[in-house]
Amino acid sequence: KQEVTQIPAALSVPEGENLVLNCSFTDSAIYNLQWFRQDPGKGLTSLLLIQSSQREQTSGRLNASLDKSSGRSTLYIAASQPGDSATYLCAARTSGSRLTFGEGTQLTVNP
Amino acid sequence: NAGVTQTPKFQVLKTGQSMTLQCAQDMNHEYMSWYRQDPGMGLRLIHYSVGAGITDQGEVPNGYNVSRSTTEDFPLRLLSAAPSQTSVYFCASSSPLTAGLNSPLHFGNGTRLTVT
């Protein structure tokens, strides 16, 4: 059974800092790894999706990497802003219809 | 674009009552699913559907029923609500399966359900 873990559970940083969020998974036989953002009282918004054959994906100030052999993915946020404050979740797809989610990292960027 | 629409946003039920959570998407997505989100447990898959007329169980299906009569709608039914079903429920969909497995999931804004 796939298990996904995110560390740390919460992170507080000053504005402008570069930061890394971590995601680990136990079953390396994944199709892809997705990163989501969740704002309070809202649903999840897909940020980046890394296919199993890829090493990284970039979107603006976000960069996600994937190392299947070690069961790890990281989300790098450059030059953080208060608007980046949210909970970030990763999810591993290990079959056609199932994603396994981590519990998320709650990020606070202080002005 | 409306995307994935869930109704209601909030609901309070008494133990034993029944209700249906509605989910509709206007993106012609074949795949639709229901998750519940609980503190300390993350998101867990309840039921999913890969197309009209096809449904399957996820990780935590007990106490919930689904049907998929159209591509657009995927309602979740609680037949006899229990306090353990107090949670936030999310509906999600993704692109037609012909696009492959690497299609991102689109989420609704959730329904917050309290069972007393």
Side-chain angles (χ1 to χ4, degrees):
Chain A
K1 177 184 175 184
Q2 177 74 275
E3 294 182 2
V4 178
T5 304
Q6 292 187 247
I7 296 173
L11 181 64
S12 181
V13 301
E15 182 177 3
E17 189 163 301
N18 302 325
L19 60 99
V20 174
L21 306 180
N22 297 296
C23 172
S24 61
F25 47 94
T26 56
D27 183 354
S28 62
I30 62 172
Y31 288 105
N32 59 56
L33 192 290
Q34 297 184 51
W35 283 93
F36 295 87
R37 168 184 174 139
Q38 184 175 27
D39 294 287
K42 298 291 187 181
L44 282 69
T45 300
S46 180
L47 297 173
L48 290 166
L49 183 151
I50 313 175
Q51 299 179 30
S52 61
S53 59
Q54 298 174 327
R55 296 283 293 180
E56 63 178 83
Q57 282 286 325
T58 298
S59 176
R61 293 183 294 108
L62 305 179
N63 176 276
S65 68
L66 175 64
D67 185 343
K68 281 179 55 179
S69 61
S70 66
R72 293 180 183 178
S73 176
T74 61
L75 179 66
Y76 174 82
I77 303 177
S80 58
Q81 303 171 357
D84 294 330
S85 297
T87 297
Y88 292 82
L89 297 96
C90 65
R93 184 190 289 272
T94 48
S95 72
S97 303
R98 298 188 181 214
L99 271 72
T100 303
F101 284 83
E103 292 188 38
T105 294
Q106 185 173 354
L107 173 65
T108 302
V109 181
N110 301 300
Chain B
N1 283 338
V4 179
T5 303
Q6 290 185 238
T7 56
K9 293 184 178 180
F10 301 95
Q11 183 70 49
V12 179
L13 291 177
K14 295 184 185 299
T15 297
Q17 286 185 317
S18 63
M19 78 159 295
T20 299
L21 280 64
Q22 302 291 343
C23 175
Q25 52 87 14
D26 61 358
M27 298 173 281
N28 197 33
H29 286 175
E30 291 179 359
Y31 176 81
M32 296 186 74
S33 56
W34 278 101
Y35 288 86
R36 60 178 289 173
Q37 186 175 35
D38 302 289
M41 307 197 72
L43 280 95
R44 294 178 292 169
L45 181 65
I46 304 171
H47 286 285
Y48 64 95
S49 168
V50 297
I54 306 170
T55 64
D56 206 346
Q57 296 181 350
E59 184 182 358
V60 287
N62 293 341
Y64 308 95
N65 282 350
V66 292
S67 60
R68 186 89 179 273
S69 57
T70 67
T71 298
E72 295 77 20
D73 301 298
F74 190 44
L76 178 72
R77 281 183 288 276
L78 284 72
L79 299 179
S80 179
S84 61
Q85 293 178 306
T86 294
S87 185
V88 181
Y89 292 84
F90 289 101
C91 179
S93 69
S94 66
S95 297
L97 294 181
T98 51
L101 296 167
N102 293 307
S103 300
L105 217 51
H106 298 260
F107 279 81
N109 284 331
T111 295
R112 187 175 297 273
L113 175 68
T114 302
V115 183
T116 61

